[in-house]
Amino acid sequence: MSNDIREVPGAFSTLSPDTLAVRAGIERSQFNEHAEALYLTSSFVFDSAAQAAARFGDKEEGNVYSRFTNPTVTALQTRLAALEGGERCIATSSGMAAILALSMAMLKAGDHIVASNGLFGSTVQLFANQLSKFAIETTFVPATDVAAYRAAVRPETKLFFVETPSNPITGIVDIAAVASIAHEAGAILAVDNCFCSPALQRPLALGADVVIHSATKYLDGQGRVLGGAVVGPKVITDEVFRFLRNAGPTLSPFNAWVILKGLETLRLRVEAQSENALRLARWLETRQGVSRVFYPGLPSHPQHDLAMRQQRLGGAVVSFEVEGGREAAWRVVDATRIISITGNLGDTKTTITHPASTTHGRITPEARAAAGITEGLLRIAVGLEAVEDLQADLARGLEG
Ligand SMILES: *Cc1c(COP(=O)(O)O)cnc(C)c1O
């Protein structure tokens, strides 16, 4: 096997992310294929009994079984670690599997989590209803209130978990400030970097210890597969690997191959989608019947300055509130002809969802209110269509 970057490994940081996005992680086989190879195999054979024993005993590096490692998955892990600027990346079968794997690797009964209240719905459920069964408690704090993170610290606090921009109203968590609170408490900070991707935001460089990804979103970017990742220092990711190896929510090589190809166009897609989102957000601000627009790239966003310090662009998610509550919001959704009505995001096809009745329908009305999710709120994840077509699609429902 030969490495595609004909320099010493570890020289990654001297190369531009644009170069890493298309080249990092390629290890060519005996056939010298140009594109990344897809190794659809569950297991690997050994030259001898002695080699089998050495591989199983971790005395010799090499693949054994695809629940542990697979060359296509390894290529994706190397590329994503390079893009996030982390020591090691462990890929998982989904974004939720990444969050579970991190939790199982780093926490034990009696430990405590401080989490933002602006998290993905399933993350809230995992912390509040699943980990609680193993005596791991979570305190949820207002996403943007730095003092609240500090006030929630207990002697048993081991993990801080945030998402920024937060879902769905794009609150910005000050990563550097929360990282220093976590470190003072002897805990680690994990940032779910799904909304921005490394094309716009690199949490590790801002002081976070771990980055979580749902690769299902912008990393694949074309709505084809599920996947996830944990990126960070080896002291954390080696432990995540051990959990994965024993428990099994590993990424399939096929999905790894699809996501690898997605990474090659990540920056181009995310920048174009952010550009579209900014234009759509500006247009929404001028519409009758729209009472508020939430978009970090707008000067009217209460944390615009912080957002522009920690991320390169506003991202592709725009939320807005219509006058007239659920009825008016549903009218906008139902009048669309191009935009897909789905809770998913991170796709080149624009999607729309009414969070209060879908993605955030299962949390309590009090928790919904605390997270700013009103009945008139809509969330759009902007894709690559022409903005004029998206405007026409929304104008129909807004004009009723
Ligand atoms: C989708 C999503 C997840 C979960 O990822 P899956 O791949 O669906 O398991 C986690 N965090 C955020 C911010 C998400 O959008």
Side-chain angles (χ1 to χ4, degrees):
M1 291 221 188
S2 67
N3 194 306
D4 197 50
I5 296 173
R6 288 172 294 279
E7 291 181 29
V8 276
F12 279 174
S13 58
T14 67
L15 296 170
S16 152
D18 286 348
T19 307
L20 297 172
V22 296
R23 297 227 173 235
I26 295 178
E27 293 273 352
R28 299 213 161 86
S29 78
Q30 75 215 68
F31 301 114
N32 246 345
E33 67 283 351
H34 189 211
E36 297 79 353
L38 168 52
Y39 293 96
L40 283 180
T41 182
S42 53
S43 61
F44 300 84
V45 293
F46 310 108
D47 295 338
S48 63
Q51 191 187 46
R55 290 268 177 95
F56 269 90
D58 285 337
K59 301 272 187 318
E60 178 187 307
E61 274 202 35
N63 298 293
V64 171
Y65 187 54
S66 286
R67 171 152 44 79
F68 313 165
T69 60
N70 171 285
T72 311
V73 176
T74 301
L76 170 66
Q77 292 178 158
T78 304
R79 189 169 294 179
L80 192 51
L83 291 176
E84 285 288 2
E87 215 177 346
R88 188 178 184 191
C89 165
I90 303 296
T92 57
S93 57
S94 69
M96 290 319 302
I99 300 171
L100 175 66
L102 176 71
S103 305
M104 298 309 269
M106 300 310 294
L107 303 173
K108 59 178 189 329
D111 286 347
H112 175 243
I113 303 172
V114 176
S116 148
N117 73 350
L119 297 179
F120 185 68
S122 296
T123 311
V124 175
Q125 300 293 329
L126 176 72
F127 289 169
N129 302 328
Q130 313 289 325
L131 295 186
S132 55
K133 290 196 229 168
F134 301 92
I136 296 166
E137 261 189 66
T138 303
T139 303
F140 292 95
V141 301
T144 59
D145 183 351
V146 172
Y149 289 89
R150 192 188 300 278
V153 170
R154 298 183 194 167
E156 316 80 58
T157 305
K158 292 285 159 38
L159 173 68
F160 282 61
F161 196 100
V162 304
E163 211 178 294
T164 181
S166 72
N167 185 20
I169 60 161
T170 72
I172 307 296
V173 180
D174 187 332
I175 296 175
V178 176
S180 70
I181 294 169
H183 296 157
E184 273 168 39
I188 60 167
L189 169 64
V191 176
D192 182 332
N193 201 25
C194 190
F195 270 42
C196 276
S197 90
L200 300 187
Q201 174 173 276
R202 303 216 304 163
L204 299 177
L206 295 166
D209 300 282
V210 184
V211 166
I212 290 289
H213 270 292
S214 167
T216 316
K217 311 297 168 47
Y218 294 98
L219 303 189
D220 165 39
Q222 290 150 83
R224 300 170 296 192
V225 295
L226 274 84
V230 182
V231 189
K234 278 169 65 64
V235 285
I236 295 171
T237 46
D238 286 356
E239 205 55 54
V240 170
F241 174 69
R242 272 189 282 280
F243 172 75
L244 226 66
R245 178 181 168 134
N246 293 324
T250 319
L251 186 66
S252 95
F254 179 79
N255 287 12
W257 181 81
V258 170
I259 298 163
L260 257 175
K261 304 309 282 180
L263 287 181
E264 295 184 4
T265 55
L266 176 69
R267 184 178 65 79
L268 301 180
R269 282 185 282 106
V270 170
E271 283 184 6
Q273 287 173 250
S274 288
E275 197 65 34
N276 276 357
L278 177 61
R279 286 179 59 200
L280 198 68
R282 283 197 182 121
W283 175 82
L284 282 165
E285 276 196 313
T286 68
R287 303 304 294 181
Q288 291 261 321
V290 174
S291 47
R292 274 190 83 175
V293 180
F294 302 90
Y295 183 67
L298 286 176
S300 62
H301 189 287
Q303 297 168 291
H304 177 68
D305 291 345
L306 172 62
M308 294 300 100
R309 275 204 307 278
Q310 72 181 30
Q311 51 188 84
R312 281 181 44 238
L313 295 167
V317 176
V318 180
S319 291
F320 62 103
E321 220 165 63
V322 295
E323 288 162 13
R326 178 176 292 209
E327 196 185 329
W330 280 23
R331 189 163 62 235
V332 173
V333 172
D334 289 337
T336 58
R337 292 177 196 160
I338 298 169
I339 299 174
S340 313
I341 306 171
T342 170
N344 197 21
L345 62 96
D347 201 296
T348 52
K349 300 176 180 72
T350 300
T351 64
I352 189 165
T353 192
H354 178 248
S357 58
T358 60
T359 51
H360 293 72
R362 282 168 186 269
I363 63 174
T364 62
E366 297 74 41
R368 239 188 338 264
I373 302 165
T374 60
E375 288 292 324
L377 187 76
L378 291 168
R379 188 196 74 193
I380 297 190
V382 182
L384 289 176
E385 302 94 336
V387 177
E388 295 71 23
D389 290 337
L390 299 176
Q391 289 168 350
D393 216 30
L394 293 169
R396 212 177 295 116
L398 284 172
E399 278 149 16

